[in-house]
Amino acid sequence: MKIVVIGGTGLIGSKLVNKLREHGHEAVAASPNSGVNTVTGEGLAEAVKSASVVVDVSNSPSWEDAAVLKFFETSTRNLLTSEAAAGVGHHVALSVVGTDRLSESGYFRAKIAQEKLIKESSIPYTIVQATQFFEFLKGLADISMVGDKVHVPHALFQPMAADDVATAVGRVAVDAPINGAVEIGGPEQFRIDELVKRRLASLKDPREVIADPNALYSGAKLSERTLVPGNDARLGETRFETWLTQPAAQIPSAPQSTVNKEKESQKKAS
Ligand SMILES: NC(=O)c1ccc[n+]([C@@H]2O[C@H](COP(=O)([O-])OP(=O)(O)OC[C@H]3O[C@@H](n4cnc5c(N)ncnc54)[C@H](OP(=O)(O)O)[C@@H]3O)[C@@H](O)[C@H]2O)c1
């Protein structure tokens, strides 16, 4: 089956493309690097031609409020239009657990807009809402600095390994569309401050982590369970301590682009 992965060069996209190919699918990685741009429309019609499924795991290059909204709205509209013309039977998109509860955040308003366009379109769809990736914890610390200390909320979350995200999205992509959303998460719950502390300790990063009741997440105030998935969530297998022993955990920092994007978004939110 031909499955086009929009954002197929990214963290989740590259893992997803490999997994789909291992299962015998014709997985096509589509992104500006491969001549497919969902914002300008370049290469899009050709890429989705004869595809059964399109999976959107792209992300905006800028997380500034207006830019990220424009990215997800334009990109999703263009994608759905091309898919309708090509007769694509399933649109899968990766979103975030708790998106509806995070509308104080410009980034999450953009994800809400993305989800709305998908729900209103004529293409059968499945939205996969994932919790935070373990790979993002160091980046979260980097963008949560107040002076020389890391200030993060004490709220609960249930993060997961990027590899488990890709596995779950791959399963959804080859299943029938449900015209609804599924939640995926990690096997354990943590306090944000406590896990960021453990991640920094694993990297021998000496920064102090403070549980700050006023700290925002991507510009939004969290309550205790804002980021926690419901009881029906599909859970990944990889526990945090196991992930720490894997090669992915040895990479000390989030990609600089992620840090820049978050800084931009925080500047805007403050
Ligand atoms: N970080 C988290 O903890 C978390 C949690 C839950 C869900 N998510 C969601 O997961 C998704 C993927 O995140 P990620 O970290 O894997 O992203 P990423 O590594 O930043 O990759 C982004 C991808 O988007 C592509 N892209 C950028 N502009 C594009 C355009 N105009 N047209 C087509 N493709 C474009 C990039 O292509 P190039 O390489 O060619 O630039 C790249 O392949 C996001 O939608 C995010 O909301 C993230």
Side-chain angles (χ1 to χ4, degrees), residues 23-47:
H23 283 83
H25 297 289
E26 183 197 344
V28 178
S31 79
N33 271 328
S34 68
V36 181
N37 189 320
T38 50
V39 173
T40 63
E42 181 198 352
L44 197 49
E46 188 56 33

Side-chain angles (χ1 to χ4, degrees), residues 9-12 31 33 37-38 57-59 94-95 107 111 133:
T9 52
L11 173 65
I12 303 300
S31 79
N33 271 328
N37 189 320
T38 50
V57 289
S58 66
N59 211 349
L94 183 57
S95 191
Y107 183 82
K111 296 299 285 185
F133 312 153

Side-chain angles (χ1 to χ4, degrees), residues 91-107:
H91 178 91
V92 178
L94 183 57
S95 191
V96 187
V97 164
T99 289
D100 288 340
R101 303 186 284 269
L102 289 160
S103 60
E104 254 176 56
S105 154
Y107 183 82

